[in-house]
Amino acid sequence: MTNFDFLFGEKKFSCFSGAAAAAEKICGIDAAACAVNARRAAELAVKWMYENDRALPKTKRDQLAALTGASEFRQVAGAANVRALDYIRRVGNNAAHNPDMVTKEQAELSLKNLYDFTFFMAKKYSKVRPIGAYDKSLLDPEAELVTEAFSQQDIRELLAENRAMKRMLANLRREKDEEIPAARTSLSEADTRRLYTETALAHAGWRIGVNCFAEYPLRGLPTQNGVGYADYVLCNPDGTPVALIESQAVDEDVALGRQQAKLYADALEKKTGIRPVIFLTNGLETRVWFDSESPERPIGGFYSPSDLIRIRSLRHKRRLPEDADYEASKVRRPYQLQAIRAAADAFCRRKERTVFLSMAPGTGKTRTALAAADLLRRCSWAEHVLFLCENDLLCRQAQHEFTSAFPGWRTAAITDHADAAEAEIIFATFENLPVEADELTDKNGMSLLTAGRFDLIICDETDRRTVLQCQDAFHTFDAPVLALSSAPGGMTDPLLCDLLNTTPGQAAFSYSYDDAVRDGWIAAFTAADVRLSLLS
């Protein structure tokens, strides 16, 4: 008997019901195998939704991250289910690549999240329901032995009683038009740290007791004995603490830990002379905070060890661009230099996180953006760049143009996994970025597209349609965005602004079609009167 037995009452769920039950049955024996099977069941269930729900578009994508990241899926499933599936995916990936890193508690939470999601599916797509609430005791391997103690006659009677109970509950729901609410998970701070925070740390490449230390003691705090304990401290390879994490319970606001984290940061800085990066989290939401420079901001996870080294190095070396830097830019048209200067001023002086450039078709906005990225690199503001295009052809063209103009950069398409692992600028389409996100890993199977992987994201054609295809990227990666568009005016679409974590406003630089025609950079179009015979 398992918590997923109710799924067997609906034949159309047969493609994932067996995998879900198998994951639970093995939980008490092998936590890693349980996590892998839970991920497989979740992926099969999500694919079933895409095949059977008309609200979800037909897609060639088959990776779980890409399927659950689609805007249509988010609207159908809801934010809570998307978060639950993301947890199942991360724990499953960790289990597949590093089985020893997955604990039984993490596997059990994956099962609970899978149960909540399949419960949602049962309510939405069928009449079957579980008889009772989620029963953690069924995860005990001895529970199966108790079931086997019943005679076949007892089992048949119980099944008949269960079927009668299901029919009664279904009739009651139809009469009252009510649905059974899914159980909500409430965890203590300690449980949140073990199940959520440590899962995210493992996904980013941190190892408890190696380069990440829990309950890290610090002196000079306003306590009775002057000693306090930071939830986690992250260290460089030489053991120097360079970041700390303040974790709250899963149902608490991450902002509650802000003052405590600041006190810990003060104590660490006094001890080491280095101001640490601060992360605030409750397992479901994470924020990064360079408290001496800027407000905290949302992020999709933790920096990896290599991310943290690179980001700290860039911040130490960065400088404001000077006239000589602009003159060295490999563009010669005056308006392109103006656009680069406007973008650099917005990023480097005003510390804006999203900069919008509006340039008419044919005026070289792609070349301008690439030159802006090169300028930011020479001034140590960006070292790793993600360039997003609408299709593969534009990606290849942009990569060829960049390689020709700036041969000092290592470039790769995201689909070229071997080259992309070492690339400084990665070219991807809006569509294939989510597909490749789980596939790009290092030799140990750890994801290379961690939250701090990029220092700049360039969107070659920014509109609601293209950005919706990979909206997770703008919430996951902690990188400023250079948004390009051929449309005149500023960024006024509220949804688009929300996706890019910015507010509506005018473009940092605008060069219209009329401007380009007036200055002689492009030719004016000529209207032609063409008669068609289609309707004659």
Side-chain angles (χ1 to χ4, degrees):
M1 181 177 181
T2 74
N3 284 291
F4 299 97
D5 286 354
F6 71 97
L7 296 174
F8 293 96
E10 183 60 79
K11 289 185 179 179
K12 58 188 177 185
F13 291 160
S14 60
C15 65
F16 60 87
S17 56
E24 181 173 313
K25 288 179 180 179
I26 204 171
C27 182
I29 303 170
D30 189 333
C34 169
V36 170
N37 277 281
R39 187 197 187 286
R40 176 171 173 268
E43 186 169 320
L44 292 171
V46 170
K47 288 180 178 178
W48 183 94
M49 285 180 61
Y50 270 87
E51 288 292 327
N52 294 276
D53 193 322
R54 293 183 179 180
L56 299 176
K58 299 297 181 182
T59 177
K60 295 180 181 179
R61 302 176 181 180
D62 58 1
Q63 285 87 354
L64 184 58
L67 296 172
T68 58
S71 58
E72 296 88 351
F73 185 85
R74 290 175 176 273
Q75 292 174 359
V76 171
N81 281 317
V82 172
R83 286 196 298 267
L85 290 167
D86 184 63
Y87 183 85
I88 296 170
R89 178 182 65 83
R90 291 192 180 209
V91 175
N93 288 350
N94 289 346
H97 299 300
N98 299 281
D100 294 339
M101 290 171 52
V102 177
T103 67
K104 183 181 178 183
E105 287 181 314
Q106 291 171 341
E108 289 176 353
L109 183 55
S110 283
L111 287 175
K112 176 62 170 61
N113 286 345
L114 180 62
Y115 173 86
D116 289 343
F117 177 64
T118 54
F119 192 172
F120 156 79
M121 290 184 63
K123 290 190 297 179
K124 185 171 181 63
Y125 302 111
S126 77
K127 297 178 181 179
V128 298
R129 301 291 188 277
I131 297 301
Y134 180 78
D135 186 358
K136 186 177 178 181
S137 67
L138 294 178
L139 275 58
D140 187 343
E142 294 183 2
E144 195 70 28
L145 300 178
V146 175
T147 302
E148 292 175 358
F150 288 97
S151 67
Q152 291 297 316
Q153 180 65 27
D154 290 334
I155 293 174
R156 284 194 292 271
E157 291 176 357
L158 286 171
L159 290 174
E161 182 181 342
N162 286 349
R163 284 193 291 270
M165 181 68 72
K166 288 179 181 179
R167 285 194 295 271
M168 182 188 72
L169 290 174
N171 291 333
L172 183 61
R173 280 191 295 272
R174 282 194 294 271
E175 291 172 5
K176 295 187 176 182
D177 193 26
E178 293 180 350
E179 293 182 335
I180 303 174
R184 295 186 62 184
T185 301
S186 180
L187 299 173
S188 67
E189 182 181 326
D191 289 338
T192 299
R193 292 204 303 264
R194 278 199 313 276
L195 298 174
Y196 282 97
T197 307
E198 292 183 10
T199 297
L201 284 167
H203 181 76
W206 297 97
R207 301 290 180 269
I208 305 296
V210 178
N211 54 6
C212 172
F213 299 92
E215 297 293 330
Y216 190 89
L218 292 167
R219 297 189 177 277
L221 292 163
T223 60
Q224 188 172 1
N225 60 0
V227 178
Y229 297 86
D231 291 334
Y232 300 93
V233 166
L234 310 180
C235 296
N236 272 346
D238 63 3
T240 304
V242 288
L244 66 88
I245 300 170
E246 177 62 21
S247 181
Q248 303 298 309
V250 73
D251 54 355
E252 292 183 346
D253 188 345
V254 295
L256 294 176
R258 185 184 297 126
Q259 183 58 32
Q260 189 67 42
K262 193 175 186 307
L263 292 174
Y264 291 147
D266 292 340
L268 267 178
E269 184 178 23
K270 185 176 181 180
K271 176 180 179 180
T272 65
I274 298 174
R275 188 69 182 177
V277 180
I278 298 173
F279 293 96
L280 307 173
T281 187
N282 63 3
L284 301 180
E285 177 188 1
T286 301
R287 301 177 190 173
V288 62
W289 188 20
F290 294 86
D291 66 321
S292 60
E293 302 178 17
S294 59
E296 65 200 51
R297 55 182 179 265
I299 187 175
F302 301 114
Y303 295 158
S304 71
S306 59
D307 292 339
L308 195 54
I309 293 172
R310 189 192 76 258
I311 290 169
R312 291 186 60 84
S313 174
L314 282 174
R315 287 177 171 271
H316 178 70
K317 296 185 298 183
R318 66 174 43 167
R319 60 181 177 80
L320 294 176
E322 300 173 352
D323 289 341
D325 297 310
Y326 295 111
E327 292 169 3
S329 299
K330 295 184 179 181
V331 293
R332 290 296 175 260
R333 296 180 181 181
Y335 66 85
Q336 292 178 320
L337 288 171
Q338 292 172 20
I340 293 171
R341 188 180 291 272
D345 284 348
F347 284 132
C348 305
R349 298 182 188 276
R350 300 195 298 275
K351 305 295 180 64
E352 295 180 12
R353 300 289 298 174
T354 301
V355 177
F356 184 63
L357 302 182
S358 172
M359 299 175 66
T363 56
K365 63 180 181 295
T366 299
R367 179 61 174 267
T368 302
L370 294 172
D374 184 66
L375 170 74
L376 294 174
R377 183 199 193 196
R378 285 185 279 114
C379 296
S380 297
W381 286 83
E383 188 173 297
H384 287 176
V385 178
L386 173 65
F387 195 99
L388 293 171
C389 298
E390 190 170 359
N391 56 55
D392 290 329
L393 177 59
L394 292 175
C395 261
R396 289 194 294 271
Q397 290 176 348
Q399 184 178 359
H400 175 73
E401 183 174 356
F402 191 84
T403 303
S404 301
F406 308 102
W409 286 68
R410 296 192 302 272
T411 69
I414 196 171
T415 52
D416 299 331
H417 294 174
D419 293 336
E422 301 296 328
E424 294 168 313
I425 179 165
I426 292 178
F427 293 84
T429 67
F430 290 96
E431 184 176 10
N432 69 15
L433 175 62
V435 175
E436 300 295 333
D438 274 354
E439 301 298 321
L440 192 57
T441 58
D442 64 15
K443 61 183 180 181
N444 297 317
M446 304 306 298
S447 174
L448 290 173
L449 297 187
T450 50
R453 178 65 171 81
F454 299 109
D455 309 306
L456 177 68
I457 298 175
I458 300 175
C459 298
D460 191 40
E461 192 60 54
T462 309
D463 57 41
R464 181 187 295 195
R465 177 182 58 84
T466 54
V467 172
L468 276 172
Q469 293 184 69
C470 64
Q471 58 179 308
D472 270 0
F474 303 103
H475 295 285
T476 298
F477 300 128
D478 182 43
V481 177
L482 180 58
L484 312 178
S485 177
S486 301
M491 188 178 291
T492 57
D493 184 341
L495 175 59
L496 184 59
C497 291
D498 181 62
L499 292 171
L500 296 176
N501 299 314
T502 189
T503 54
Q506 291 301 308
F509 177 80
S510 182
Y511 194 69
S512 68
Y513 165 80
D514 290 336
D515 294 333
V517 171
R518 181 198 63 217
D519 295 340
W521 295 112
I522 61 176
F525 68 85
T526 302
D529 185 8
V530 178
R531 295 183 180 274
L532 302 177
S533 60
L534 295 177
L535 300 179
S536 61

